[in-house]
Amino acid sequence: MRIVFEKRERVSHTVRVLVPVISLVFALVFGAVLLLFSGVSPGAAYAAMARGAFGSSRALAETFVKAIPLMLTGLAVAVAFRMLFWNIGAEGQLAMGGLTAAGVALFASEGLPSWSVLPITILAGTLAGALWAAIPAALRAYLGVNEVITTLMMNYVAILLVSHMYHGPWRDPAGYGFPGTARLPETAWLPRLYGRAHLGLFFAVVAAVVLWFVLQRTKWGFELRIVGENPEAARYIGIDIPRLMLVAMLVSGGLAGLAGVCEVTGVMRRLQQGLTVGHGYTAIIVAWLAQLNPWAVLLVGFLLAGLLVGGDQIQMAMGLPAAVGLVLQGALLFPMLGGALFTEYRLRIVRTATEDFRTPEETGLEEAGS
Amino acid sequence: MLFLAEGIVGQKMTVGESQEPLLRMVGITKRFPGVVANDHVDLELYQGEVLALLGENGAGKSTLMNVLNGLYRADEGSIYVRGERVGIRSPRDAYELGIGMVHQNFMLVETMTVAENVVLGLRDLSFRLDLGGVKRRLQELGEQYGLKVDPDAYIWQLSVGEQQRVEILKLLYRDVDVLILDEPTAVLTPQEVDDLVEVLRRVIGDGKAAVFITHKLREVMKFADRVTVLRDGKNVATRLTRETSPDALARLMVGREVLFRVEKTACEPGDAVLEVDSLRALDDKGLPALRGVSLTVRAGEIVGIAGVAGNGQRELAEVITGLRQAMGGEVYVSQERMTNCRPLRAIRSGVAHIPEDRIGMGLVGDMSVAENLALKAYRDSAFSRGPVLHPEGMRRFAEELIDGFAIVTPRAETRVKFLSGGNLQKTILARELTACEGLLVAVHPTRGLDVGATEAVRAQLLEERDRGTAVLLISEDLDELLEVADRIAVMFEGQIVGTRKTDDAGRDEIGLMMAGDGMEKEGMAT
Ligand SMILES: Nc1ncnc2c1ncn2[C@@H]1O[C@H](COP(=O)(O)OP(=O)(O)OP(=O)(O)O)[C@@H](O)[C@H]1O
Ligand SMILES: [Mg+2]
């Protein structure tokens, strides 16, 4: 008798839905065990978490604040991954978007009609993210430079540049020496919907709708899928892969840049510490869990934000060390990521050939382990 | 042993009913969504014999063998090995029972060496690999069966024929008694086919047995002892080869009388469509593959390129279609200079290309049949309004082609990778013939197709020609070239060593030129 790990012959709808649900249950159980070891009642901890994330309209608003950048960067990563461009650089693109938005709002908005400041700020930030992404895209498309390394390294450049700007040249002279720029002019504020939740939510939903449509229904999306599935075939049917890659990365970087703009103009309203807290990396998890589907990115982004916000809340609500919250977040994420494997693969317990000659109907082992 | 070995040569051995079959499959049924690929199929295999498995594209041959190999599990039916009922649930189980398979598409890891590939997936490996021992054993096996391969060579360095030898060595290393070969000869040159027969002869002589899938009736007659015919997933007949004939087998396969010849009228060539002048190019390894090739194909003419695989044919097709850089020389299509143009430009000017590598280049496995049929046409206005695709138009187009080219698929939305080998090729053909305006570059267009489909494709090539298309037909099958081409150019080591009108071409003469004899290096007479 042994256990084999094998590819499914086909992936049914049930499997697609069931696997994440079972993974979630498994994650909760796994988390509960960890909590028990730290001497905390899992029931109480999960309740505190749920309350902290979804329990009140205020809590919900905070969850959305966290969800918006995750959704936008998640979409950004999903677009790139669809054509096998491993964009690890959403964090840097987000940073450049935020930086540019702050710069435009602080130093270039004077004299502009007040209604135009916000749109110009948004556009400039989005464009900055897009251009930041275009550099590794061009390097890969035309020179074959590995994008994982370039996008990752450009993150450090962007993050340090942002930090340098608000520590140095752009530091608010009236800020008592605290690192950070002055507050943005009110004309550049992104309107808030409820609590700190802002209009960025609308951007994320619109982006998802547009992306879904473009990927499913346009020639461009069709080409993107072909490149993602079989680049050699794409070349053969005459798709200009370098150009497509460049355009896809402009879109990807633009979305990540927009996430940065929203953080700066909607949440912080100045450039300061806290812009680059890893959304661009979490986005990879979001995109992956969502299997690169734009709708699913919205949903996963929201749930993950709930997990993060709720995780922070239990430390406060239950007086736990901060590490427990982090460990719990990891413990919950891990089975969910691992579970995604089981969409394509399955475990099967088999007996050695001669021992067992019963057909699948007879043994009922057929779907064991899904 | 000697007696058994004769099974494959002149005298066919007698398979006594009294003899216990080495292997028996009874009532095997395998369903896929929308198709019954195997419908209560029975099969018996005796020690020391070669059994040919015959059937049209999509008849269920590969599926049946995949069931035997443990890759698929049958929905119904049972398998007996040496009289004992077994459950084969994975290729590993199959190995343990002494059953091994060489698939239609090889399953080797390109970046590993031969020896590494052979031990890959072995279960009882010690923690420290003793590759030295493996290599010694491979050498022994190679000598014993006449399978010469360098155990240290990387797979990507090997020709298709050599890769197949590695696949067979892999099975022999695992000491299997039953070898399953899925269309082993489709990718081989005539010389390599002879080598394979020699290997099989020795293997069978050792008391093993082989199941062998092919579409070439001549091969069935030549080296199978018995033949089992499938049609639409069902058993049709099992015959001793010496008691049957190619015609009878074809009839059994198709279920009606088949004509073996296509009607070919004299060609009436028009203006030159493709002109290639002193073309030079490198292959994937950076070695010269084309060394000054010149040729002309005129409208309404089929020019065949004969030659043993690896003499630059593939590179020639790729340079013409813009997929490979030319290092020198010129390509003109309808008087327009197309040297090193982008593939899209070639497509736009009506150049269609049936590529050698179906799955790797010609199709997108995880996309539907309909989408694969539209891979080139999606740019047309019939399929889109502005940038927005028009799924209804795409579906109608797909259904027309599926009908017109008799592609066997459950639905237009089925993922193309689930189609049988022959139907994959039909999908490409349908797409390319529709897209073709002016020039068709066809590389091994009938490889892996059944008799009926092969004749249909050849007829279609001729039809294209009569419509005024210039056809460049690259093929290793001399019969095919003699049947449809108007002129045959022979390629050897990146050069065209001779051109003959098909009518005055002697089979033997061309065969000699393919082997590099009688190098005369002439320009292409126009
Ligand atoms: N994994 C699969 N999923 C769905 N359908 C399949 C799958 N594999 C095979 N089929 C279908 O089963 C039928 C039999 O296919 P199979 O590959 O066995 O044919 P074949 O006789 O080997 O043909 P060929 O000579 O073209 O290789 C075909 O209609 C094919 O489309
Ligand atoms: Mg097959």
Side-chain angles (χ1 to χ4, degrees):
Chain A
M1 204 165 96
R2 63 174 190 266
I3 296 172
V4 294
F5 189 60
E6 62 182 20
K7 201 157 172 139
R8 289 178 192 276
E9 273 176 37
R10 53 176 182 271
V11 181
S12 68
H13 253 297
T14 337
V15 167
R16 257 184 217 294
V17 176
L18 220 58
V19 164
V21 172
I22 294 175
S23 306
L24 182 66
V25 172
F26 193 80
L28 289 175
V29 172
F30 184 51
V33 172
L34 280 183
L35 286 168
L36 279 176
F37 269 110
S38 345
V40 183
S41 145
Y46 284 143
M49 223 170 129
R51 233 178 301 119
F54 314 114
S56 64
S57 46
R58 276 232 81 81
L60 211 56
E62 277 311 300
T63 299
F64 272 116
V65 168
K66 192 84 181 163
I68 292 162
L70 287 182
M71 291 171 176
L72 283 169
T73 50
L75 291 171
V77 170
V79 173
F81 280 19
R82 278 222 175 200
M83 73 170 309
L84 310 181
F85 188 99
W86 308 115
N87 180 14
I88 315 296
E91 185 79 358
Q93 292 140 24
L94 175 149
M96 292 311 282
L99 178 77
T100 310
V104 168
L106 285 170
F107 308 111
S109 63
E110 243 167 278
L112 290 174
S114 59
W115 61 265
S116 70
V117 174
L118 185 61
I120 289 178
T121 306
I122 292 174
L123 231 66
T126 306
L127 207 64
L131 292 177
W132 198 247
I135 299 170
L139 285 173
R140 154 86 190 271
Y142 296 104
L143 298 174
V145 179
N146 184 315
E147 75 277 15
V148 175
I149 295 168
T150 46
T151 50
L152 189 63
M153 297 214 304
M154 284 179 65
N155 283 349
Y156 298 117
V157 177
I159 292 167
L160 290 173
L161 184 63
V162 167
S163 153
H164 169 70
M165 292 316 276
Y166 67 71
H167 275 101
W170 288 2
R171 174 145 53 167
D172 182 9
Y176 308 103
F178 281 112
T181 64
R183 221 150 57 106
L184 308 190
E186 245 174 87
T187 46
W189 290 7
L190 197 61
R192 287 186 176 163
L193 304 171
Y194 184 86
R196 292 202 300 160
H198 50 84
L199 205 60
L201 182 62
F202 172 74
F203 294 157
V205 173
V206 170
V209 173
V210 171
L211 263 186
W212 175 83
F213 183 81
V214 166
L215 290 174
Q216 292 303 314
R217 287 293 165 79
T218 65
K219 289 182 191 175
W220 192 77
F222 189 61
E223 291 179 351
L224 211 64
R225 271 174 61 212
I226 298 169
V227 176
E229 299 278 359
N230 183 351
E232 191 58 15
R235 212 166 71 82
Y236 155 73
I237 62 160
I239 292 176
D240 186 345
I241 299 178
R243 212 189 67 190
L244 196 66
M245 191 169 275
L246 210 58
V247 177
M249 276 309 287
L250 284 172
V251 172
S252 174
L255 285 167
L258 182 60
V261 175
C262 291
E263 287 298 280
V264 168
T265 61
V267 184
M268 304 190 297
R269 295 187 165 166
R270 68 178 68 204
L271 195 61
Q272 63 183 17
Q273 202 191 349
L275 175 59
T276 51
V277 290
H279 291 132
Y281 300 116
T282 314
I284 298 170
I285 298 176
V286 174
W288 212 242
L289 281 177
Q291 292 166 17
L292 312 187
N293 175 322
W295 296 117
V297 165
L298 293 187
L299 184 68
V300 174
F302 176 70
L303 291 178
L304 210 57
L307 176 64
L308 295 174
V309 171
D312 291 344
Q313 285 299 314
I314 60 168
Q315 326 167 0
M316 289 185 244
M318 310 190 60
L320 291 173
V324 174
L326 290 176
V327 167
L328 188 60
Q329 286 167 359
L332 292 183
L333 267 182
F334 202 67
M336 284 169 58
L337 278 173
L341 260 184
F342 287 93
T343 324
E344 294 290 332
Y345 291 83
R346 69 169 154 206
L347 279 182
R348 207 156 49 81
I349 301 168
V350 296
R351 271 161 259 187
T352 8
T354 39
E355 272 173 59
D356 172 29
F357 51 76
R358 283 171 296 177
T359 51
E361 298 81 33
E362 288 164 340
T363 55
L365 277 174
E366 179 88 359
E367 292 305 331
S370 57
Chain B
M1 281 305 164
L2 189 64
F3 163 70
L4 291 173
E6 282 170 358
I8 201 169
V9 227
Q11 291 172 296
K12 303 288 177 189
M13 60 177 277
T14 322
V15 176
E17 289 302 313
S18 52
Q19 197 190 340
E20 170 87 1
L22 181 57
L23 183 103
R24 207 147 67 83
M25 300 178 85
V26 184
I28 300 290
T29 297
K30 176 72 189 171
R31 298 183 193 90
F32 291 113
V35 267
V36 185
N38 289 151
D39 188 357
H40 296 94
V41 178
D42 301 329
L43 180 132
E44 285 177 356
L45 183 68
Y46 293 87
Q47 198 168 20
E49 77 164 342
V50 174
L51 173 73
L53 193 54
L54 204 59
E56 289 184 282
N57 294 129
K61 306 176 296 289
S62 298
T63 303
L64 186 66
M65 289 303 108
N66 281 332
V67 166
L68 182 55
N69 184 46
L71 220 55
Y72 293 155
R73 271 164 300 156
D75 298 318
E76 288 168 38
S78 34
I79 303 175
Y80 299 85
V81 176
R82 293 185 198 82
E84 198 181 335
R85 189 169 176 192
V86 294
I88 306 177
R89 292 160 163 271
S90 69
R92 213 175 245 171
D93 287 351
Y95 281 140
E96 274 165 27
L97 293 166
I99 300 169
M101 175 159 174
V102 177
H103 290 268
Q104 215 162 347
N105 312 299
F106 300 156
M107 305 200 167
L108 297 169
V109 183
E110 295 251 313
T111 50
M112 289 191 173
T113 66
V114 170
E116 286 166 346
N117 265 282
V118 166
V119 292
L120 205 67
L122 275 184
R123 199 139 64 89
D124 306 316
L125 280 183
S126 57
F127 182 67
R128 267 205 42 200
L129 257 182
D130 173 26
L131 270 185
V134 175
K135 285 183 214 161
R136 268 193 303 282
R137 179 93 185 100
L138 284 182
Q139 219 96 53
E140 275 168 33
L141 285 171
E143 265 153 44
Q144 187 180 349
Y145 294 107
L147 282 160
K148 285 260 155 43
V149 202
D150 172 13
D152 287 318
Y154 285 92
I155 299 301
W156 60 265
Q157 296 174 315
L158 302 181
S159 72
V160 180
E162 287 169 321
Q163 291 186 17
Q164 186 174 68
R165 271 181 249 161
V166 178
E167 288 277 21
I168 295 174
L169 269 176
K170 220 163 110 180
L171 303 189
L172 295 174
Y173 189 89
R174 286 161 173 70
D175 204 20
V176 302
D177 301 321
V178 176
L179 282 88
I180 307 167
L181 306 171
D182 196 349
E183 296 194 33
T185 58
V187 293
L188 299 185
T189 61
Q191 178 56 42
E192 286 172 325
V193 172
D194 290 343
D195 292 346
L196 177 67
V197 175
E198 184 57 37
V199 170
L200 275 187
R201 191 169 282 161
R202 294 198 197 182
V203 169
I204 304 308
D206 251 9
K208 301 180 192 290
V211 185
F212 160 78
I213 301 178
T214 182
H215 289 294
K216 296 181 189 152
L217 298 172
R218 187 147 31 121
E219 286 172 1
V220 174
M221 300 310 293
K222 208 159 108 192
F223 57 93
D225 303 290
R226 288 189 312 135
V227 46
T228 290
V229 184
L230 298 184
R231 187 165 75 225
D232 292 334
K234 297 191 194 67
N235 279 108
V236 182
T238 297
R239 297 270 189 275
L240 289 170
T241 16
R242 65 181 145 93
E243 288 172 4
T244 187
S245 68
D247 287 334
L249 288 175
R251 219 167 22 243
L252 286 171
M253 258 167 72
V254 186
R256 58 182 160 75
E257 209 64 46
V258 272
L259 292 171
F260 271 129
R261 292 222 64 85
V262 286
E263 292 297 316
K264 182 178 165 195
T265 52
C267 91
E268 291 165 22
D271 296 336
V273 174
L274 173 70
E275 288 163 286
V276 172
D277 184 28
S278 331
L279 204 59
R280 286 184 298 112
L282 303 179
D283 65 11
D284 288 340
K285 295 170 202 163
L287 301 170
L290 299 180
R291 316 167 187 229
V293 171
S294 301
L295 66 90
T296 304
V297 187
R298 292 165 295 182
E301 173 187 50
I302 299 181
V303 173
I305 301 282
V308 178
N311 276 290
Q313 298 96 316
R314 188 174 133 219
E315 287 79 7
L316 177 63
E318 289 183 357
V319 172
I320 293 171
T321 51
L323 291 166
R324 183 178 293 272
Q325 285 280 314
M327 307 302 289
E330 300 287 350
V331 177
Y332 292 91
V333 175
S334 310
Q335 266 79 52
E336 254 185 87
R337 183 167 177 275
M338 300 283 275
T339 322
N340 290 335
C341 70
R342 285 166 186 272
L344 186 58
R345 169 116 191 275
I347 293 168
R348 288 241 158 96
S349 44
V351 179
H353 178 197
I354 298 167
E356 175 177 24
D357 185 0
R358 273 169 217 181
I359 297 168
M361 185 184 269
L363 295 167
V364 183
D366 274 318
M367 290 173 76
S368 70
V369 176
E371 285 169 323
N372 272 281
L373 286 168
L375 275 189
K376 280 183 175 171
Y378 76 95
R379 299 187 180 95
D380 291 2
S381 55
F383 301 96
S384 49
R385 297 193 193 91
V388 180
L389 286 176
H390 180 31
E392 186 55 32
M394 225 149 124
R395 224 204 55 228
R396 254 201 320 265
F397 177 70
E399 273 162 10
E400 261 167 46
L401 291 190
I402 289 171
D403 269 2
F405 287 80
I407 300 169
V408 181
T409 173
R411 295 181 313 139
E413 289 77 28
T414 305
R415 288 201 239 172
V416 84
K417 70 173 176 195
F418 292 139
L419 262 50
S420 76
N423 284 295
L424 292 176
Q425 183 69 340
K426 286 191 200 170
T427 307
I428 297 181
L429 261 159
R431 182 185 68 217
E432 295 304 315
L433 288 183
T434 336
C436 178
E437 274 169 57
L439 176 63
L440 173 65
V441 179
V443 189
H444 309 310
T446 61
R447 188 183 265 179
L449 293 192
D450 63 44
V451 230
T454 299
E455 294 312 308
V457 169
R458 291 179 187 168
Q460 260 151 1
L461 290 178
L462 285 168
E463 215 174 282
E464 267 317 298
R465 180 200 78 168
D466 293 339
R467 200 175 298 148
T469 304
V471 182
L472 183 68
L473 171 64
I474 296 177
S475 177
E476 279 156 18
D477 186 343
L478 207 46
D479 293 325
E480 172 160 295
L481 293 173
L482 290 168
E483 195 172 318
V484 297
D486 300 306
R487 284 186 297 147
I488 298 177
V490 182
M491 266 187 99
F492 180 72
E493 293 190 344
Q495 285 174 317
I496 288 183
V497 293
T499 307
R500 293 286 176 276
K501 280 226 165 64
T502 308
D503 300 336
D504 1 298
R507 228 192 125 82
D508 298 337
E509 186 195 10
I510 291 187
L512 279 178
M513 290 201 289
M514 282 167 68
D517 283 355
M519 300 259 269
E520 40 188 307
K521 274 189 222 160
E522 53 180 316
M524 200 69 177
T526 41

